[in-house]
Amino acid sequence: MPSTQTFSAGANALQQANALLRKNLVQQRRAYLTNLCLVSAPIVFCVLLAVFQLLINTLVLTRPEAQCGCQCTKCCRMERGKPVSCGFLETGYCDVDRGYECFETNDNNCGVQYSSSIQAIWCEIPYPSSWPPVTRIPPTTWRARPWRPNLGLPYTSTNPPVARNVTSNMFRQLNATIPALLSIMRNLMVRNGTQFNGYLLSELGMDFANTRFPPQHYYIDSAFVGGGSEDESDRLYLMMPPGTCAQYGVTASNTTSFTDLLLRYFLGPNPNLRAAITILQAAQALPPGFNLTAVMESPAVGLLNRTLVSCVETFTTPVPTLEDMNYLIYCGFRDARCNSTSVIRSYAAAWDFNELAAASHFNTTVLYNLTLPVSRNTARNYRLPAMVNDAVRGWSSYFLRAGKEISTELLGLMSFPKPKTDAHFDLSSLLGPLFYTWVVQLLMPTFLQQLVYEKEKRLRMMMKMHGLGDPAYWLITYCWYMLLYIVYIAIFIIVGAGAGLKYFRKTNLGIQIIFYFLHGQCMIAFAFMLSSLFSSSTTATVTAYLYVFASGLIGSLLLQTFMRTDALWCFFVEWVPAWSLYRGLFEMGQYAFLGVYRNEPGMQFSDLSDAKNGMLATWGIFLVEWPIFMLLGWYFEQVISTGNGIKRHPLFFLEWCWRKKQHDMGSGRRSLEAAAPPHSSLTVKGPGGEMADVAAERARVEGLTDVSNTPIVIKDLAKTYPGLDGGKPKRAVRNLTMAIERGECFGLLGPNGAGKTTSINMLVGFLEPSGGSAIIEGRDIRREMQDIYKMMGVCPQHDLLWEQLTGREHLFFYGRLKGLQGAELADAVESGLQSVNLLAWGNRQARQYSGGMKRRLSVAISFIGRPQVVYLDEPSTGLDPASRRGLWEVVKGHKSGRATILTTHSMEEAEMLCDRLGIFVDGQLVCIGNPKEITSRYAGYLVFTITVPPHEDERARQVVADMSPSAVLTYELNGTLKYELPTSEVSLSSVFASMSRAKESGLQVLDWGVANATLEEVFIKLARRIGADTKELT
């Protein structure tokens, strides 16, 4: 008869979300230290970068090399760490690399005239200096023979005679008079020594060379500001035609000062400049009042005299073909090792004159050895202007002069005017993409660990079995992760900007908010998707951290290369979420770095349209991947079994295409035949077929035409696990068939591994049946578990509790999931705690509970919310006798109106609680009925025990044989004998009569007893017999 008790219809989606939200807030409040540590990660990283930035600003950017040079008023030459001689510098700088050290500076007098080439880039230079073009030549010991220490310069052409004439005009002697020379020297340095007009030296016909690498700029050319040392890299060469250096008394192997070299040229080997000036003034070749001392002591002469000068002669030599010349130049390189030799034969330059037929055609190629390990995308100056200038000079001298001077030469090189700049180095912008890729993703391992942990510990399934739907779980979990991420990123941006990191201050705040928000949604969705691929939270966490750190490192090594070389490949690589993040961070970092250097803002919305700006692409990728990851996360959760219930077929979304929907037949009546196949391929019967009571139960179930009023109807339920390593499949449950009525408590007995828990797990939706099905309150477990969850309660075999929650909070949470509210909820919680004797400990966290207290709390959870079906899997395990008795009263008090399935190893518990019992052995039901019926049906014997002295053992045996010829000896030890006496042969009265006669006959009986067989003895006997039989059939 249907019960009149009112049952909860379960909570709707909003109520489920509210319950989960309240539970999560309590958990997070208890774990506030963990959350504080989590959100403090960006603080640590930003402060660390700020400290490094401060150290750089203090220790590096305040060094003299990072500032415009100031006048040194005490420049001393150092020997063995001590100053030897000191002086006051009118111009130039005190070069530490050449053994000098400045002890005093005039910080009020700074400018390019006191700066090295490194310092010059920081100075205000409204009028840049010009410098003659310089050819970079090999060091003396590397120059090719037979011209060493002079220069051999190869060339080739399709017109050798004309090329010979052109190359003979490439280099020239000096071409100036003494008045012109002195006038040029007087005008070399102007504007108070801040502007050097080096192009005037080119007008004298000078061609310069140096062994140094070229400068990065032409505010100061390091070739002209040597320190006067004998080192060859400090030496400036004049390139002259063959046979001309001897006129100056200087060769490629010795040096002199710049002015002395000029005087030697104009006045002979032993020049007397003052005598020459007197003669020129008398001849009125110089203006009146000409001040020779002022010229010789001018800043320009002082600058040039600091550099030692040599003369090197140039020998142009023809080569038959371009291929030969390429081979010649390559093999001259120090690491070429052509012909298995390490001899170095370097050439400064070579020319291929392609077209020299007429004055209207000039086409030449300059060849040189590129020995710098620099990326092809890095712009560098390789002293090419001087090499091109030599070729143009030779061509124009031969073809265009024709009786008149035509200037086609490059006289000088100069950089653009510039304002004063300060040295800036923004570490956050330079290292930001790598470090921030790590920082921003640090939440992902935490998200993934929490998602997998709840599945691994079956907490997710426990919530699901008590009515929590997937939409509510996903909504609350997603919102919590998003809130945590927003707080995390807000702290990241605020602390970064507060610490003065230009990466945050220069980049538009709106761009940062949009970028981080979109990435956060994509990252959370990515974590949901990955959670279905792991069954261990430890493995998931380790994998996530490896992903975070590896993606940053690979992004900095791989993605930057793609960004520079292959935009298409870069776009495909960015579909990995971490690399999209890296690309966006890289773009912001580059714009911030340039903004610091140029003293401008970083990335703004107007910059998003730049041709190579990839920010919009990352936004688009995030927007596309966000819903895709969420959809895949939901799909994987359905088809991959990782602790979230029954997995579905990979094409479950197409079921409507091949399966016709089944409907109730006649007034809502549900047929069991619609829920399960009528025949199962897993049917296994004992040697003599099923027991009569099991067969009767099967017939009763098969005879049910309407199961809507029967709470639990099971037919042919089976579970088979695949064999391991090619072994036989394991049949855990074999065609379980039975029905449980409302108000009935059904007990499942069986040894460990018999299949009891597996059967429960299939009924609660944790495992998918291999065959058969079950109808719970008119709903099929294969297709309608979401509805079944709302009306059932479960006490699992192992306690599934949150250690941070109290017992009362557990009951409040599950009560809300059942739809309880207000006073009804509070009353249910209090009564639940009181019923299991936990009222005094209701406000203690579960971590403080003993094993027995946790077990009682699990039972209270299973009954809260008035479920219609309750599953109790070994509920009294670990309880003391008093608690066990109290728990039995709780179960008996909740039997009315609901179906209960209980598994236990306690025969006493089964007899106390269960209306019917089913004994499970090796996966199959071997008997069913109420405890007394089973005992009487399968016992059929009395248990007789007798103890006699050892010498009376044979007489005792004979007494039992006379009493019951079919008696079975089950135990024997030192005079104690235990028998099973068939009730068909004896009765209690006959046993007493037999024992009375035995004593009268003189048998010495120390003790004896007789009793009916217990349920436990029946269970053991059946388990041994049926277990052996079924194993023979397996």
Side-chain angles (χ1 to χ4, degrees):
M1 177 180 295
S3 173
T4 58
Q5 183 176 351
T6 303
F7 294 97
S8 172
N12 57 37
L14 290 179
Q15 291 173 325
Q16 295 172 21
N18 174 62
L20 184 60
L21 177 61
R22 287 170 177 264
K23 188 269 294 183
N24 285 351
L25 289 177
V26 173
Q27 279 186 284
Q28 301 307 325
R29 185 175 72 247
R30 301 263 164 78
Y32 69 94
L33 288 178
T34 302
N35 290 330
L36 285 178
C37 292
L38 191 63
V39 298
S40 65
I43 300 177
V44 174
F45 274 90
C46 289
V47 170
L48 190 63
L49 281 177
V51 170
F52 285 147
Q53 185 69 60
L54 181 62
L55 291 175
I56 291 174
N57 293 343
T58 304
L59 302 179
V60 178
L61 301 185
T62 57
R63 293 172 60 87
E65 294 84 353
Q67 300 175 357
C68 182
C70 295
Q71 184 182 26
C72 183
T73 57
K74 188 178 179 180
C75 182
C76 302
R77 184 168 60 86
M78 306 297 292
E79 289 186 3
R80 297 181 181 179
K82 296 182 179 179
V84 177
S85 59
C86 302
F88 180 91
L89 294 184
E90 292 289 346
T91 186
Y93 66 99
C94 199
D95 197 342
V96 177
D97 295 336
R98 294 179 174 86
Y100 292 86
E101 186 173 348
C102 184
F103 287 91
E104 296 179 4
T105 59
N106 181 6
D107 294 336
N108 296 321
N109 188 16
C110 304
V112 68
Q113 67 271 31
Y114 307 112
S115 303
S116 66
S117 60
I118 297 176
Q119 293 175 313
I121 60 175
W122 313 117
C123 300
E124 180 184 11
I125 307 178
Y127 304 100
S129 299
S130 64
W131 305 91
V134 178
T135 301
R136 181 172 180 264
I137 61 176
T140 302
T141 56
W142 289 4
R143 295 172 193 167
R145 295 179 183 274
W147 306 280
R148 187 191 300 173
N150 294 306
L151 296 176
L153 300 173
Y155 70 90
T156 187
S157 176
T158 56
N159 193 341
V162 176
R164 189 180 306 112
N165 292 327
V166 169
T167 55
S168 63
N169 286 281
M170 288 171 57
F171 302 96
R172 62 203 171 165
Q173 299 187 33
L174 300 183
N175 181 23
T177 61
I178 291 181
L181 172 65
L182 295 176
S183 176
I184 287 174
M185 298 296 290
R186 185 168 53 183
N187 294 313
L188 267 178
M189 192 75 77
V190 296
R191 302 185 188 278
N192 297 322
T194 62
Q195 184 179 10
F196 181 77
N197 294 320
Y199 73 92
L200 296 174
L201 298 177
S202 296
E203 291 185 349
L204 291 176
M206 296 181 179
D207 293 317
F208 295 101
N210 183 261
T211 60
R212 285 188 179 187
F213 287 109
Q216 293 293 331
H217 59 83
Y218 281 102
Y219 296 115
I220 292 180
D221 192 335
S222 56
F224 292 90
V225 290
S229 71
E230 292 295 333
D231 191 89
E232 188 174 6
S233 64
D234 288 337
R235 190 181 304 176
L236 187 65
Y237 288 92
L238 276 179
M239 300 175 69
M240 294 289 184
T244 55
C245 288
Q247 302 177 28
Y248 311 136
V250 181
T251 66
S253 302
N254 57 18
T255 60
T256 185
S257 68
F258 190 85
T259 54
D260 185 63
L261 178 67
L262 293 177
L263 293 177
R264 287 173 183 271
Y265 173 74
F266 285 106
L267 303 178
N270 300 302
N272 188 335
L273 182 59
R274 293 190 179 277
I277 294 300
T278 302
I279 296 173
L280 291 171
Q281 287 178 331
Q284 296 183 352
L286 292 176
F290 179 81
N291 190 342
L292 176 63
T293 302
V295 172
M296 299 306 296
E297 295 179 356
S298 66
V301 174
L303 174 66
L304 293 175
N305 279 339
R306 292 184 63 187
T307 303
L308 298 179
V309 182
S310 293
C311 180
V312 61
E313 296 181 353
T314 57
F315 295 87
T316 55
T317 177
V319 177
T321 64
L322 178 61
E323 182 179 357
D324 294 335
M325 191 163 65
N326 271 325
Y327 180 79
L328 185 68
I329 294 177
Y330 172 75
C331 290
F333 180 51
R334 63 177 181 269
D335 293 330
R337 297 186 180 275
C338 294
N339 301 321
S340 301
T341 178
S342 59
V343 176
I344 301 174
R345 298 178 294 271
S346 293
Y347 296 89
W351 293 268
D352 175 22
F353 296 101
N354 301 321
E355 298 183 19
L356 290 175
S360 59
H361 292 83
F362 176 68
N363 186 0
T364 186
T365 301
V366 179
L367 291 84
Y368 61 97
N369 246 325
L370 177 61
T371 60
L372 295 177
V374 182
S375 169
R376 63 179 180 177
N377 296 304
T378 304
R380 290 296 298 267
N381 168 23
Y382 295 110
R383 299 284 194 189
L384 291 178
M387 302 177 190
V388 177
N389 192 39
D390 294 335
V392 172
R393 182 193 302 123
W395 171 77
S396 62
S397 298
Y398 180 72
F399 282 105
L400 303 181
R401 289 193 173 178
K404 60 180 181 179
E405 294 292 328
I406 299 177
S407 177
T408 57
E409 295 185 33
L410 174 67
L411 297 179
L413 300 168
M414 65 189 299
S415 296
F416 285 97
K418 65 177 291 293
K420 183 180 182 302
T421 54
D422 296 323
H424 296 287
F425 181 81
D426 187 36
L427 186 67
S428 66
S429 299
L430 188 65
L431 299 181
L434 174 59
F435 281 96
Y436 298 155
T437 298
W438 292 340
V439 175
V440 175
Q441 293 187 105
L442 277 182
L443 286 179
M444 197 190 84
T446 302
F447 295 163
L448 187 58
Q449 187 270 342
Q450 291 178 356
L451 290 169
V452 178
Y453 178 83
E454 289 190 334
K455 295 180 181 180
E456 178 186 15
K457 301 302 181 182
R458 298 191 175 183
L459 293 169
R460 172 77 183 279
M461 191 60 198
M462 184 67 175
M463 293 186 288
K464 195 169 185 178
M465 289 188 297
H466 284 81
L468 179 64
D470 289 340
Y473 177 82
W474 280 51
L475 175 65
I476 296 302
T477 306
Y478 189 97
C479 290
W480 165 247
Y481 288 169
M482 184 170 64
L483 177 62
L484 186 63
Y485 176 81
I486 289 174
V487 173
Y488 183 90
I489 290 298
I491 293 174
F492 181 53
I493 296 174
I494 293 172
V495 173
L501 300 180
K502 302 301 182 183
Y503 187 94
F504 301 95
R505 290 181 169 240
K506 290 288 185 180
T507 306
N508 183 278
L509 182 60
I511 291 178
Q512 294 186 66
I513 291 174
I514 295 174
F515 173 73
Y516 290 126
F517 177 80
L518 292 178
H519 168 262
Q521 311 316 306
C522 187
M523 183 180 71
I524 296 172
F526 191 52
F528 271 94
M529 184 191 75
L530 293 179
S531 67
S532 296
L533 306 180
F534 294 95
S535 57
S536 168
S537 58
T538 302
T539 303
T541 304
V542 172
T543 303
Y545 276 113
L546 289 175
Y547 167 80
V548 169
F549 286 100
S551 62
L553 291 173
I554 295 175
S556 63
L557 298 174
L558 177 67
L559 193 60
Q560 284 195 40
T561 302
F562 284 148
M563 282 189 283
R564 293 191 181 101
T565 59
D566 197 325
L568 183 60
W569 269 107
C570 180
F571 176 75
F572 284 111
V573 169
E574 286 173 15
W575 285 92
V576 177
W579 291 341
S580 292
L581 171 66
Y582 183 90
R583 176 63 185 273
L585 294 171
F586 178 83
E587 294 292 351
M588 290 192 288
Q590 291 297 300
Y591 277 87
F593 192 83
L594 290 175
V596 170
Y597 181 75
R598 299 172 179 173
N599 196 24
E600 298 175 351
M603 183 181 291
Q604 305 297 313
F605 280 101
S606 58
D607 299 321
L608 298 179
S609 58
D610 291 352
K612 293 187 177 181
N613 190 323
M615 183 61 77
L616 287 178
T618 63
W619 291 2
I621 290 173
F622 289 151
L623 285 172
V624 172
E625 288 184 333
W626 179 7
I628 290 177
F629 287 154
M630 290 300 293
L631 184 62
L632 288 177
W634 172 79
Y635 174 76
F636 289 156
E637 194 168 82
Q638 306 302 311
V639 301
I640 298 177
S641 179
T642 55
N644 191 39
I646 299 175
K647 68 177 182 178
R648 303 169 72 177
H649 190 278
L651 299 179
F652 69 91
F653 50 88
L654 299 178
E655 287 182 355
W656 61 272
C657 295
W658 67 77
R659 189 181 67 190
K660 183 180 180 181
K661 293 184 178 180
Q662 298 180 351
H663 300 278
D664 294 343
M665 301 299 294
S667 301
R669 289 154 52 100
R670 172 68 78 117
S671 171
L672 184 64
E673 299 302 324
H679 302 287
S680 172
S681 60
L682 297 175
T683 300
V684 176
K685 296 184 179 181
E690 291 180 327
M691 297 289 188
D693 48 1
V694 177
E697 181 70 11
R698 177 181 293 276
R700 184 173 78 91
V701 171
E702 292 177 348
L704 290 175
T705 58
D706 182 8
V707 298
S708 58
N709 291 323
T710 304
I712 301 176
V713 181
I714 305 170
K715 183 180 180 184
D716 292 329
L717 193 66
K719 182 63 180 177
T720 301
Y721 293 102
L724 297 176
D725 300 325
K728 293 182 179 180
K730 168 62 177 177
R731 293 174 175 174
V733 178
R734 308 170 186 240
N735 301 88
L736 176 62
T737 300
M738 65 181 183
I740 302 172
E741 301 298 331
R742 203 175 305 279
E744 179 184 2
C745 180
F746 185 89
L748 278 179
L749 303 180
N752 291 329
K756 306 184 302 297
T757 299
T758 301
S759 301
I760 295 288
N761 286 339
M762 286 190 286
L763 294 176
V764 300
F766 191 78
L767 291 177
E768 181 180 13
S770 301
S773 186
I775 299 297
I776 310 297
E777 291 290 349
R779 294 165 177 82
D780 185 4
I781 64 170
R782 287 182 174 270
R783 295 186 295 273
E784 300 170 286
M785 278 307 303
Q786 292 299 327
D787 294 331
I788 297 174
Y789 287 144
K790 296 179 181 180
M791 59 183 67
M792 76 181 192
V794 180
C795 174
Q797 185 178 22
H798 304 286
D799 300 312
L800 304 180
L801 305 172
W802 288 274
E803 296 293 320
Q804 304 91 342
L805 297 186
T806 66
R808 179 171 278 104
E809 288 163 350
H810 275 91
L811 292 179
F812 267 108
F813 170 61
Y814 286 111
R816 292 188 180 100
L817 287 183
K818 294 298 185 182
L820 302 182
Q821 301 180 31
E824 184 184 18
L825 174 63
D827 292 341
V829 170
E830 296 304 314
S831 63
L833 290 173
Q834 188 171 12
S835 66
V836 294
N837 197 23
L838 287 178
L839 191 60
W841 294 274
N843 292 326
R844 291 189 181 183
Q845 295 181 25
R847 72 179 71 186
Q848 299 174 315
Y849 283 8
S850 65
M853 296 170 72
K854 291 181 179 180
R855 202 72 194 131
R856 283 183 275 158
L857 178 58
S858 296
V859 172
I861 290 172
S862 67
F863 285 114
I864 195 168
R866 302 184 302 274
Q868 297 169 258
V869 177
V870 177
Y871 303 95
L872 303 174
D873 195 357
E874 301 181 14
S876 61
T877 302
L879 296 183
D880 59 86
S883 298
R884 186 181 298 115
R885 292 282 179 177
L887 185 65
W888 292 349
E889 295 301 322
V890 173
V891 176
K892 287 194 292 185
H894 287 86
K895 284 172 54 176
S896 176
R898 62 173 53 88
T900 305
I901 293 183
L902 179 144
T903 67
T904 183
H905 289 292
S906 170
M907 300 301 111
E908 183 183 10
E909 181 174 87
E911 290 181 299
M912 285 288 296
L913 299 179
C914 299
D915 301 293
R916 286 198 303 159
L917 294 176
I919 296 180
F920 234 56
V921 179
D922 198 29
Q924 65 180 343
L925 192 64
V926 297
C927 70
I928 189 170
N930 65 54
K932 292 182 179 180
E933 288 178 351
I934 292 178
T935 304
S936 62
R937 184 185 310 141
Y938 292 101
Y941 57 87
L942 298 177
V943 179
F944 176 75
T945 305
I946 185 171
T947 302
V948 296
H951 65 276
E952 297 277 5
D953 184 70
E954 289 300 326
R955 289 188 63 190
R957 291 175 185 269
Q958 185 60 45
V959 168
V960 174
D962 294 341
M963 185 189 315
S964 175
S966 302
V968 178
L969 179 66
T970 60
Y971 179 80
E972 177 183 9
L973 179 64
N974 197 25
T976 299
L977 306 173
K978 187 176 183 180
Y979 286 91
E980 291 180 356
L981 308 179
T983 55
S984 60
E985 296 180 352
V986 297
S987 64
L988 287 175
S989 60
S990 65
V991 172
F992 276 92
S994 297
M995 289 304 299
S996 177
R997 289 193 299 271
K999 289 180 179 180
E1000 291 175 355
S1001 65
L1003 177 65
Q1004 187 178 354
V1005 179
L1006 301 178
D1007 190 20
W1008 74 277
V1010 64
N1012 290 317
T1014 63
L1015 180 63
E1016 182 175 359
E1017 290 171 327
V1018 173
F1019 167 73
I1020 294 173
K1021 191 170 185 178
L1022 285 174
R1024 287 175 177 173
R1025 189 184 74 189
I1026 304 300
D1029 291 344
T1030 54
K1031 286 178 181 177
E1032 291 174 2
L1033 296 175
T1034 302

